[in-house]
Structures are given as structure tokens and as C-alpha cells.
Amino acid sequence: MQNAAFMAKSLGFDVVDLVTTALSNAGYDNMDPTTKNNKEIMIQSKDSAVLVKLKQRLTQCKLVYSLPVKVGDVSDSCVADIKKFADAVIVDRESVFAESKGFIIRKSKVVEDVQSAGLAVYVEVFRN
């Protein structure tokens, strides 16, 4: 969910309301987690306020926070704050491997730090 604040202010509609209504209408608000046929719903956003609002309304969906580009290492307090509104994070390749002139110069601890707090980590985009 990108640009939710812009859409609410400039276009006059609340994306969070639309998404929660659509998921409810499709029957995703009362799924039985023990049923094997259920699909996992993941919602990604760079806006923590959107994820906070979604966390209050959706209990069946996994919320994924996109960390800023080239974030590097993260503090324990930052990870604790993220854990309040997200189930997972997405980091970019440059946040994991710092490089200079096309050469990797160091590996950050961002993946280990976030995983040790119990959050899932997805890394994008690796290319050879």
C-alpha cells in the first residue's frame, strides 16, 4: 500500500478502509487458520501509520514494513517499534551488502538483528 496519505488527502478516499472492506467482502476476515485451503494475505507498506491502522482492523493478514533504502544496521529500539505494527520487514540488497564501485565492502547485521527479534525478513532485489 503506497501513497495512502496522498490518496486520502488529495483524492478523498481511505485506502485502508477500501482494503479492509474488500477483504471482508471476500471472506478473509473470518478465516479459520486451521483450514489448509486458506491463502495467506500479506500487505506491504513503507508507511508505518498505514500498518498501525491495518493492525487494528485485520488480524488474519501479515503486515510487512518496507525499511528505507540503504538502511544499514538497525537499533534494538527501532526493531522493537517495528514489531508493534509489522510481522515482517523488507530490506533492499544495499542495506544488507554495502558496496563501493561495484565491490561489496561489508555485510550489515540488519537481517540477523531483525530475525533475532522474531520478525521475518524479505530481501529485494538480488542480481548477478
Side-chain angles (χ1 to χ4, degrees):
M1 299 183 84
Q2 306 305 326
N3 305 314
F6 166 78
M7 287 186 246
K9 183 178 178 183
S10 300
L11 304 177
F13 60 87
D14 187 343
V15 176
V16 173
D17 286 340
L18 293 172
V19 168
T20 55
T21 300
L23 288 171
S24 178
N25 291 343
Y28 286 104
D29 60 344
N30 55 11
M31 295 187 311
D32 179 7
T34 61
T35 304
K36 292 182 180 180
N37 294 333
N38 288 333
K39 304 274 191 233
E40 183 175 68
I41 304 292
M42 298 177 82
I43 300 175
Q44 170 190 348
S45 182
K46 293 179 181 181
D47 189 343
S48 60
V50 168
L51 295 175
V52 167
K53 195 171 179 183
L54 282 167
K55 185 152 185 101
Q56 295 168 350
R57 296 180 182 191
L58 300 172
T59 58
Q60 301 292 337
C61 296
K62 289 198 176 192
L63 303 176
V64 183
Y65 181 59
S66 295
L67 291 175
V69 175
K70 297 182 183 179
V71 73
D73 294 325
V74 293
S75 67
D76 291 341
S77 62
C78 179
V79 175
D81 287 342
I82 292 169
K83 197 170 179 177
K84 292 176 186 174
F85 59 83
D87 304 299
V89 297
I90 293 178
V91 296
D92 66 316
R93 174 185 52 84
E94 294 177 30
S95 294
V96 178
F97 297 110
E99 59 181 60
S100 175
K101 299 180 183 178
F103 292 95
I104 295 174
I105 56 174
R106 75 174 184 91
K107 179 182 178 244
S108 75
K109 292 180 24 186
V110 68
V111 173
E112 292 88 354
D113 292 344
V114 172
Q115 284 179 332
S116 69
L119 294 168
V121 179
Y122 301 96
V123 182
E124 62 180 20
V125 168
F126 281 95
R127 289 186 268 261
N128 186 354

